[in-house]
Amino acid sequence: MAEVSANSFMPQAFQGTTVDLTSQIGLLWELIRVPLIVPLLKFAVVVCLVMELMLFAERLYMGIVIVLVKLFWQKPEKRYNWEPMKEDLEAGSSTFPLVLIQIPMFNEREVYKISIGAACNLSWPADRLVIQVLDDSTDPIIKDLVEKECKRWAAKGLNVTYQIRETRGGYKAGALKEGLKRDYVKDCEYVAIFDADFRPEPDFLRRSIPFLMHNSKIALVQARWRFVNSDECLMTRMQEMSLDYHFTVEQEVGSATHAFFGFNGTGGIWRIAAINEAGGWKDRTTVEDMDLAVRASLRGWKFVYLGDLQVKSELPSTFKAFRYQQHRWSCGPANLFRKMVMEIVRNKKVNFWKKVYVIYSFFFVRKIIAHMVTFFFFCVVLPLTIMVPEIDVPKWGAIYIPCIITTLNSVGTPRSIHLLFYWILFENVMSFHRTKATFIGLFEAKRANEWVVTEKLGDGLKNKNNKSNKKFQFNFNIGDRIHVTELGFAAFLFFCGCYDYLYGKNNYFVYMFLQTITFSIVGFGYIGTIVPT
């Protein structure tokens, strides 16, 4: 009885079939491994290492420049002509230029009061301010609420106009473009744009307008975003780390060295003449803000970034909202690069080095290479090399340079330095969605112009959770909570990790298992805020 093997419990026919199938798979693998798999994988490793070096050089350049900027560059108030706004009792408010505030909205039930109230509380003469609420809402109840809020402020003496359209053509770009056509804004010189969750400080215009008034070639003044809900969950902390690097380093370097950066779509103020000269708002991509910025820059206009001028805003705290936002932010720049690269090359109004900066650093490395190398190298190619011993990935490419890049990315948010390792694991997961969106934009595929407004929760979640003695049922939509692709990558990385643990020599299984856990957490939807019904 002790001599009875496990094979005794398996029918002979199935035993033969299993052995034959396994043998055939093994034989097929050996036949294609050396002539096909090894050369392809070697080529993939070389391509990924080249992309990694490009990203490393760009990050190192940005790091060196930002140190020089902080140590030796003068503040924007010193680099450009700037004088504080002064009250003139004799001239009255006529010394203040007429400013338009545009607030685009779409079904913003939870946050519509925030930006309207913040705009109405700006420290600027009421008769020199035009506040335009551009409401594209499809929910009649929300439209009624927004209109009543506008009338409430108008009754206090503010020039607040509620503007709607018959269709959502052009989405946000269409709404902004339509707003500038109204007769009552023809005398406005400048336009400030705030999304529905943005709340500028009262002195926003007094600190930004002087740059435009005293420097005729400045088209845009961009403020920094600050996040009111960065501590809401781990996912918002991760977003804060990425965006703080963007504002602390990328925007600062672009402003100081080339007077160019991508407009962030909100929290900034434009010279209306520059918008018109650049061709106005266009809806050909999902990044109408970046599109306008590049076109204005090619016509010789300059931009100023004010890192100490901060506007409060809200980060997407549900994973679904974050995914849609990242799709738009990744697909749009790639699609715009496809459409504008030759226009940038042929342009004669900007110098050669600015063209190199815009094409290579701003677009190619940051908007395309950064996503692709993160996904392909660390989630696909490196795990595959574990099962092909002929491929040797150098330590500097697999460990050292990635660690340096990660450290350089952390300078924007020192308070989250302890989350750095998990941040890079989460970024690897998100790189799949960003890479997919980048390819969609580059090839202008079906979802290239998909526009989904980022859902904001405002104080709604807080208010619901603060209600006492009430039990909430949580939505469980399998389409929202279960992500098959992420779970598939988790299984793939787990298999590679087990293989490396048994047969590998580089101990990559530690990374593989941690990345497996992160993919699994995201795959089962246990990330971000869970919204009660």
Side-chain angles (χ1 to χ4, degrees):
M1 195 69 184
E3 296 177 359
V4 177
S5 66
N7 293 334
S8 302
F9 297 97
M10 185 181 296
Q12 190 66 32
F14 287 101
Q15 290 180 38
T17 303
T18 304
V19 172
D20 291 343
L21 182 60
T22 305
S23 301
Q24 289 174 9
I25 293 174
L27 181 60
L28 179 63
W29 171 252
E30 290 300 324
L31 286 174
I32 66 172
R33 184 169 62 88
V34 175
L36 182 62
I37 302 298
V38 172
L40 286 176
L41 205 50
K42 281 184 177 179
F43 176 74
V45 169
V46 171
V47 171
C48 288
L49 290 175
V50 170
M51 290 195 295
E52 185 180 67
L53 287 172
M54 293 169 65
L55 182 61
F56 171 69
E58 194 268 346
R59 290 289 190 267
L60 189 61
Y61 162 76
M62 301 289 279
I64 292 172
V65 173
I66 195 62
V67 171
L68 295 175
V69 167
K70 295 298 184 183
L71 291 178
F72 303 111
W73 260 252
Q74 292 181 322
K75 293 285 186 180
E77 291 83 358
K78 301 293 185 181
R79 295 202 308 268
Y80 299 97
N81 295 326
W82 188 89
E83 295 178 8
M85 300 297 299
K86 297 179 180 178
E87 307 283 351
D88 191 326
L89 296 178
E90 294 183 1
S93 62
S94 61
T95 58
F96 289 76
L98 192 60
V99 180
L100 171 67
I101 307 292
Q102 287 187 317
I103 308 174
M105 293 189 176
F106 178 75
N107 293 336
E108 309 284 5
R109 178 190 292 271
E110 302 294 349
V111 295
Y112 70 93
K113 289 184 178 180
I114 291 174
S115 54
I116 297 176
C120 291
N121 284 313
L122 287 169
S123 177
W124 200 257
D127 61 328
R128 309 300 292 168
L129 198 62
V130 179
I131 300 172
Q132 189 181 64
V133 178
L134 305 168
D135 190 12
D136 278 352
S137 298
T138 54
D139 188 327
I141 296 176
I142 297 177
K143 292 175 73 172
D144 184 58
L145 291 172
V146 176
E147 185 175 13
K148 287 180 179 178
E149 183 69 8
C150 293
K151 289 180 178 179
R152 187 174 74 86
W153 283 103
K156 297 181 179 182
L158 276 297
N159 188 358
V160 182
T161 303
Y162 178 70
Q163 201 74 55
I164 60 173
R165 300 186 294 161
E166 293 183 1
T167 66
R168 282 189 71 206
Y171 302 108
K172 181 179 176 180
L176 296 172
K177 184 176 182 179
E178 185 70 21
L180 290 177
K181 293 180 180 179
R182 301 296 171 177
D183 290 337
Y184 59 84
V185 304
K186 65 178 183 297
D187 294 326
C188 295
E189 298 179 57
Y190 313 111
V191 54
I193 302 168
F194 301 108
D195 284 352
D197 59 310
F198 276 70
R199 47 197 93 172
E201 296 297 327
D203 64 348
F204 178 89
L205 294 180
R206 290 180 177 268
R207 295 178 62 184
S208 58
I209 288 289
F211 285 98
L212 298 165
M213 290 179 61
H214 303 300
N215 302 273
S216 60
K217 292 306 295 178
I218 291 180
L220 166 68
V221 178
Q222 173 71 59
R224 177 174 177 167
W225 298 0
R226 274 298 182 192
F227 313 109
V228 297
N229 66 331
S230 58
D231 291 326
E232 186 170 318
C233 60
L234 189 58
M235 191 181 75
T236 54
R237 291 290 293 272
M238 303 296 103
Q239 293 177 67
E240 181 191 38
M241 293 177 71
S242 300
L243 288 170
D244 276 353
Y245 175 82
H246 168 70
F247 285 107
T248 303
V249 179
E250 293 177 345
Q251 298 291 75
E252 192 76 65
V253 169
S255 176
T257 58
H258 300 283
F260 167 78
F261 47 82
F263 175 45
N264 295 121
T266 178
I269 181 165
W270 278 89
R271 186 187 301 274
I272 294 179
I275 295 177
N276 295 332
E277 185 184 328
W281 293 101
K282 294 185 178 180
D283 60 355
R284 56 181 175 171
T285 69
T286 57
V287 284
E288 74 295 322
D289 44 11
M290 187 182 295
D291 189 349
L292 177 61
V294 174
R295 285 186 281 114
S297 176
L298 293 180
R299 284 158 178 78
W301 291 98
K302 296 181 178 180
F303 306 157
V304 175
Y305 171 70
L306 302 180
D308 57 352
L309 179 60
Q310 301 178 358
V311 182
K312 294 177 181 178
S313 62
E314 179 183 329
L315 292 164
S317 55
T318 64
F319 184 61
K320 182 180 180 181
F322 182 56
R323 262 198 312 158
Y324 278 125
Q325 182 201 66
Q326 293 303 296
H327 173 86
R328 192 173 75 245
W329 286 6
S330 302
C331 177
N335 193 227
L336 183 62
F337 177 69
R338 166 196 171 104
K339 293 177 176 177
M340 290 204 69
V341 61
M342 293 311 300
E343 182 180 344
I344 298 170
V345 170
R346 291 192 294 262
N347 184 274
K348 296 181 180 179
K349 288 190 176 182
V350 296
N351 61 46
F352 173 77
W353 291 112
K354 188 168 184 177
K355 291 180 184 180
V356 171
Y357 175 78
V358 174
I359 293 174
Y360 177 78
S361 180
F362 180 77
F363 272 117
F364 191 59
V365 176
R366 289 188 226 164
K367 312 300 182 185
I368 297 175
I369 294 298
H371 305 324
M372 291 187 178
V373 69
T374 304
F375 171 65
F376 285 119
F377 191 31
F378 297 103
C379 299
V380 179
V381 174
L382 190 62
L384 285 175
T385 59
I386 292 173
M387 294 180 287
V388 183
E390 290 89 345
I391 307 296
D392 185 29
V393 180
K395 288 286 193 300
W396 59 263
I399 300 173
Y400 303 140
I401 287 183
C403 288
I404 296 174
I405 293 174
T406 303
T407 304
L408 291 173
N409 276 327
S410 69
V411 298
T413 318
R415 79 183 187 99
S416 298
I417 193 72
H418 61 290
L419 298 174
L420 194 58
F421 192 76
Y422 187 74
W423 173 77
I424 196 63
L425 293 174
F426 178 67
E427 285 291 291
N428 287 350
V429 175
M430 292 308 302
S431 69
F432 164 70
H433 297 286
R434 294 174 181 140
T435 300
K436 182 173 66 173
T438 299
F439 277 116
I440 289 173
L442 284 174
F443 294 104
E444 206 158 15
K446 187 175 181 180
R447 293 179 60 201
N449 293 310
E450 180 184 66
W451 181 283
V452 179
V453 175
T454 304
E455 179 188 20
K456 295 105 179 174
L457 300 182
D459 295 326
L461 182 65
K462 186 188 301 182
N463 294 337
K464 287 177 182 177
N465 289 336
N466 285 339
K467 290 180 180 179
S468 59
N469 300 323
K470 185 173 181 179
K471 295 182 179 179
F472 291 104
Q473 294 180 344
F474 289 90
N475 289 318
F476 185 83
N477 186 324
I478 193 168
D480 292 340
R481 292 295 305 277
I482 303 296
H483 307 290
V484 178
T485 308
E486 282 83 350
L487 293 176
F489 270 105
F492 165 69
L493 291 169
F494 180 72
F495 173 78
C496 293
C498 291
Y499 191 92
D500 185 63
Y501 177 77
L502 294 173
Y503 308 110
K505 55 184 178 180
N506 294 313
N507 295 326
Y508 288 150
F509 66 86
V510 177
Y511 159 73
M512 297 295 168
F513 290 150
L514 289 172
Q515 192 67 74
T516 297
I517 294 171
T518 309
F519 266 104
S520 299
I521 291 172
V522 176
F524 285 114
Y526 286 100
I527 189 162
T529 301
I530 301 175
V531 183
T533 57

